[in-house]
Amino acid sequence: MGASLATDGSDKKKVKKAALLFMGLGHIIHLKQWVKGAFFAVIEVIFLCFLPYIFTKLGDLINIGKDQSSIPVQERQLSHFMMIDGIVVIAFIIIFAIIYYLSVKSAMDDYREYCIAGKFADNRDATKGILGKAFPIIGLAPALILVVFFVIVPLIFSITAGFTNWSNPDHIPPGNSINWVGLENYIDMLGGESDWASAFLRVAGWTIIWGLCATFTCYFGGLIVAVIFNETKLKIAPVFRAIFILPYAVPNILSMMVWKNLLNGSSGTVNRTLQALGIIDSAIPWLSDVTMARITCILINLWAGFPYFMMLIAGQMTAISADIFEAASIDGANKFQVFKNITLPMVLYQTVPLIIMSFTHNVNNFGAVFFLTGGAPNVASTTTTGAGGTDIVVSWIYKLTMDQMNYKNASVLAMFVFVVLAPFAIINFMNTKSFKEGEL
């Protein structure tokens, strides 16, 4: 049959039909490529052998909340493991579908080459083709598989948890099963009147404010210090740079815990010192008043974060030609005009992508808030939702998972964070030279 293939393309449907009917069949029957065809055929045979297992796991994924009350607790299937197994099986199906598509595409490409050359490519030529044209796919396949099962599958699992009632105390395996609830958790979080809705709006609003303030205070704080060092030409400037970089070099948890003790309302060193100097009469509620605690978080983060931008901007300023500053000086520009019209625009042009990424980092800057305040002080809805007055979304997620075992709402919050921050990261990456031009 293979020898009777026409080179005018009239047998194209035969090859495609065989390739669609069974992986590798088009290569074996029509194109006489035994090695490549056998490779694809073995993959489908293996997949078919696991088909009963695949259907079982898909059924378990659909029915994760099935009644197991008659089964001893130690013998029950864990609903969250059933979810993971089902998602992994779906990932295998998608990978198999991609390989199936590649097998059909390979058969059609080989048929087109047959039509051009007028002869079959032997097994040696087919093997060379695999090592040639298909080598990038083969080389990237292990990394792609690792990304699928160690990044994408956990991400999908985190998302699907938001469509269940997985929470303490009524739906924690193995004592109780987890059930699918659809969009119920999202409706509760955005419902308007519930404690969860009000807490979400409060925490989400503060998270955005925190991200913006933490980013711009650190950026412009570092910018001002870098400009001062650059303009004053101090001989001991390296000493000051070394001192200023220490907060950034010290582990964040240590710095925040020290500041937490220093700013303690009743026995903190800061309040006791100010009172001893007669500057204040009563203790300042640095961490016990919501507004004051939020301002304190921003200021302490400024202390810890500006050295990074100071060093970054100082490096950018050295790349600006001295001739530009000299020309501005000859034209009569003062230092402020030079800063406003030359230094600031050129530094911003180089560092805007880093500002965007710094914002995404600060929105998820768990340590800067949690290690300093622990989310405190408590507010009206804290008892119900666990969200304190200074909690940002990521610290709230931590409390929901570690303290309350409320995985369903933690998943909803994580999904919101992903939806908001993913565009920032994608847009920033798409605007890089390496993405646009394929080079560094």
Side-chain angles (χ1 to χ4, degrees), residues 166 366 417 430:
W166 187 11
F366 172 81
V417 172
M430 291 177 66

Side-chain angles (χ1 to χ4, degrees), residues 41-75:
V42 167
I43 292 177
E44 181 160 355
V45 169
I46 294 174
F47 180 81
L48 293 176
C49 290
F50 280 93
L51 212 52
Y53 175 83
I54 290 173
F55 283 129
T56 299
K57 292 303 178 182
L58 290 177
D60 289 342
L61 177 63
I62 296 172
N63 300 299
I64 56 173
K66 61 184 179 181
D67 184 18
Q68 301 185 72
S69 56
S70 60
I71 304 173
V73 174
Q74 62 273 18
E75 297 179 9

Side-chain angles (χ1 to χ4, degrees), residues 195-196 198-199 202 375 377-389 391 396 399-400 403-404 406:
D195 288 340
W196 287 100
S198 61
R202 172 173 53 80
N378 292 341
V379 293
S381 61
T382 300
T383 303
T384 306
T385 64
D391 270 316
W396 190 17
K399 286 183 175 181
L400 289 175
D403 298 340
Q404 297 188 1
N406 191 330

Side-chain angles (χ1 to χ4, degrees), residues 130-172:
I130 294 175
L131 297 177
K133 293 185 296 183
F135 179 75
I137 297 176
I138 297 173
L140 290 173
L144 178 62
I145 292 173
L146 289 176
V147 169
V148 169
F149 290 104
F150 290 98
V151 177
I152 297 178
V153 167
L155 179 63
I156 298 299
F157 173 70
S158 300
I159 293 172
T160 54
F163 298 95
T164 69
N165 57 3
W166 187 11
S167 63
N168 190 50
D170 298 325
H171 298 283
I172 296 293

Side-chain angles (χ1 to χ4, degrees), residues 175-321:
N176 303 96
S177 297
I178 302 170
N179 299 291
W180 296 108
V181 295
L183 296 174
E184 181 179 313
N185 299 321
Y186 288 87
I187 294 173
D188 289 342
M189 193 66 72
L190 302 174
E193 299 299 328
S194 67
D195 288 340
W196 287 100
S198 61
F200 171 72
L201 292 176
R202 172 173 53 80
V203 173
W206 160 236
T207 301
I208 299 298
I209 294 172
W210 155 258
L212 292 172
C213 291
T215 300
F216 287 104
T217 54
C218 289
Y219 181 84
F220 286 104
L223 175 64
I224 291 170
V225 175
V227 170
I228 291 174
F229 282 152
N230 187 67
E231 294 296 330
T232 55
K233 308 296 183 182
L234 290 173
K235 292 184 179 181
I236 59 172
V239 177
F240 282 104
R241 288 195 186 97
I243 294 173
F244 286 149
I245 204 68
L246 286 177
Y248 187 75
V250 175
N252 197 34
I253 183 173
L254 297 179
S255 300
M256 296 301 110
M257 294 300 290
V258 169
W259 276 110
K260 184 176 183 178
N261 291 323
L262 291 175
L263 297 174
N264 184 279
S266 57
S267 59
T269 303
V270 174
N271 274 339
R272 288 192 290 111
T273 301
L274 293 176
Q275 287 175 324
L277 294 174
I279 298 175
I280 59 175
D281 296 326
S282 58
I284 299 175
W286 298 106
L287 303 176
S288 56
D289 176 76
V290 174
T291 302
M292 196 67 202
R294 289 178 174 181
I295 294 173
T296 301
C297 287
I298 294 171
L299 293 176
I300 299 303
N301 183 72
L302 169 62
W303 170 84
F306 87 89
Y308 168 76
F309 283 107
M310 177 193 71
M311 300 299 292
L312 177 69
I313 293 170
Q316 292 291 338
M317 291 174 64
T318 59
I320 302 175
S321 175

